[in-house]
Amino acid sequence: MKINSHPFILGVTSFLRRTVNSPRLATSSLHIVAVGLSLIFAMALLGVVLALYGTSPLAVVSVVGQYALTPEGTIAIVNKGTTYYIAGLAAAIGFRMYLFNIGIDGQYRLGVFFAAVIGGWLSLPWFLHIPIMIAVAACVAGAYAAIAGYLKAQRGVSEVISTIMLNAIATGIIAFLISPSQLGVQDEGSNNIQTALIPESGWLPAITVPGAGDIYGFTVIAIAVGFGYWYLTTRTRFGFQLIAVGSAPRASLLAGINPKRMILLTMVVSGVIAGLCGLPELLGSTHRYGISFPAGLAWAGLSIAIVGRNHPIGVAFAALLWAFLERCALPLDLIGVPKEVIQVVQAVVLLAVVTSYELVHRYSAARERKRAALFAAAKEPTA
């Protein structure tokens, strides 16, 4: 029996064809179908991995339910997802113009570091203290991203290379400045070096969920950032120029758009958003910068933006998915499954989503060609 004649394959193919050919469903609906199929594929792969380790899927569901799907676990997923959501938006606005801002990690850490330093020095009312720290984080990160933007626009340097190098430089700058002889503080009896503790006027109140825990207050601001991203990219001249320059830089130049200026502005805006990544934890949990702030947000943000199709709602769901999978890492380790399996699942989800998007694009293109042919045939005069 041929593979392409298997009933399951025929069923899936028929469903995709009906979905693509249905005039009631937009392209975004097709992308939702693609993501759903990708997640099913990733879960199937996870089942195969569990079978190789001799672990029952029911055992995984049980231990995940005990650790990840509890009220406390849900709060932790939302808090982690808030950070991932902002990182995803920072990557997404670069993707809109085919720019890969891999410097999100260095930009965010520099921004949150200086925000913590300034916040520890100040003693102001909360309505001044908190906005100043937010502004410092955004401005520092945006200025740092402008370096890569300038190199790309004026010198033609790949933003991938420059941002990777700038990440390493940011790490060295922070390592130098956080020493006790500079801007850091070493508590007595501790080897941990951090910035000074921010006064309570710089703490952002949390949203308390009875019986579950506290959601970072910055989550509300992250939602506002998502709305601002949507408005900027879909309802403004900047958003139109963003897509125009990314799709056809030479044609946009003829239309009066300055591609070099747009490259620089896009990198700056991406950096400004990236600077907010560390604020949920700084303002809502640690209240100082230290080794607890994670690295690797650039790769997470890029992956989340791809899975979320650069749409603020899609990026939100992808961020929660990433946070949920990471929350499952420890329970899997407890039952003998290496926690690195989660990274494999994340990579498979990313690869499957990219592949599915390409298939959807091809189906959509074929559908449009078919409609155009039918329209042309209907317009032909009959003999």
Side-chain angles (χ1 to χ4, degrees):
M1 182 177 64
K2 296 181 179 180
I3 294 178
N4 57 7
S5 65
H6 192 278
F8 175 75
I9 301 298
L10 290 175
V12 172
T13 304
S14 176
F15 170 74
L16 286 174
R17 286 176 178 172
R18 290 197 306 271
T19 302
V20 172
N21 292 325
S22 174
R24 298 180 180 179
L25 292 180
T27 305
S28 58
S29 300
L30 301 179
H31 291 149
I32 294 175
V33 173
V35 172
L37 293 176
S38 303
L39 293 178
I40 293 174
F41 177 73
M43 292 302 104
L45 178 64
L46 178 59
V48 172
V49 174
L50 294 176
L52 293 176
Y53 278 95
T55 303
S56 169
L58 294 179
V60 174
V61 172
S62 176
V63 72
V64 167
Q66 295 176 11
Y67 287 88
L69 298 180
T70 61
E72 295 82 1
T74 303
I75 295 297
I77 291 171
V78 172
N79 287 337
K80 189 69 174 179
T82 299
T83 297
Y84 282 159
Y85 180 57
I86 300 173
L89 292 179
I93 198 165
F95 280 153
R96 289 262 178 178
M97 206 170 69
Y98 300 96
L99 290 175
F100 291 80
N101 184 9
I102 305 181
I104 291 174
D105 199 64
Q107 293 155 17
Y108 115 82
R109 284 189 286 119
L110 268 182
V112 73
F113 171 76
F114 281 102
V117 170
I118 297 299
W121 283 347
L122 296 177
S123 180
L124 297 170
W126 67 269
F127 57 85
L128 293 176
H129 202 160
I130 294 175
I132 287 176
M133 285 191 292
I134 294 175
V136 168
C139 291
V140 170
Y144 200 62
I147 299 175
Y150 174 81
L151 293 175
K152 171 73 173 181
Q154 300 296 332
R155 302 299 180 184
V157 178
S158 170
E159 74 279 6
V160 175
I161 302 300
S162 62
T163 51
I164 290 176
M165 297 296 101
L166 287 170
N167 281 342
I169 294 173
T171 301
I173 292 174
I174 294 174
F176 171 74
L177 293 178
I178 203 172
S179 64
S181 60
Q182 301 295 328
L183 302 176
V185 175
Q186 184 174 7
D187 295 335
E188 186 177 354
S190 173
N191 293 326
N192 189 17
I193 302 175
Q194 308 173 87
T195 59
L197 183 66
I198 298 173
E200 291 190 17
S201 60
W203 299 7
L204 192 62
I207 303 171
T208 301
V209 179
D214 294 336
I215 298 176
Y216 290 150
F218 205 85
T219 302
V220 177
I221 300 178
I223 295 173
V225 172
F227 177 81
Y229 165 86
W230 168 82
Y231 185 84
L232 179 67
T233 55
T234 62
R235 295 294 185 272
T236 66
R237 181 180 178 181
F238 176 83
F240 169 77
Q241 294 179 346
L242 192 71
I243 298 175
V245 173
S247 302
R250 292 186 178 181
S252 62
L253 182 61
L254 296 176
I257 304 173
N258 188 339
K260 294 183 178 181
R261 176 177 175 272
M262 287 303 301
I263 290 173
L264 179 59
L265 286 178
T266 302
M267 285 299 297
V268 170
V269 173
S270 179
V272 167
I273 298 176
L276 306 179
C277 291
L279 295 181
E281 189 172 345
L282 177 68
L283 302 181
S285 169
T286 62
H287 308 300
R288 57 172 66 188
Y289 180 89
I291 60 175
S292 63
F293 283 82
L297 283 186
W299 300 111
L302 294 170
S303 302
I304 289 167
I306 293 174
V307 174
R309 195 63 179 177
N310 299 331
H311 192 282
I313 296 179
V315 171
F317 282 110
L320 292 175
L321 172 63
W322 242 242
F324 168 75
L325 290 174
E326 291 193 359
R327 181 73 179 179
C328 296
L330 179 59
L332 290 179
D333 196 38
L334 293 176
I335 60 175
V337 179
K339 58 185 179 181
E340 287 76 16
V341 169
I342 295 299
Q343 298 177 357
V344 175
V345 173
Q346 290 175 333
V348 170
V349 168
L350 180 61
L351 181 61
V353 166
V354 171
T355 305
S356 300
Y357 283 156
E358 179 61 25
L359 293 177
V360 166
H361 174 72
R362 292 185 180 184
Y363 271 115
S364 300
R367 179 186 61 181
E368 293 302 323
R369 288 195 297 267
K370 182 178 179 180
R371 287 182 178 178
L374 292 175
F375 180 79
K379 291 294 183 179
E380 290 181 359
T382 57

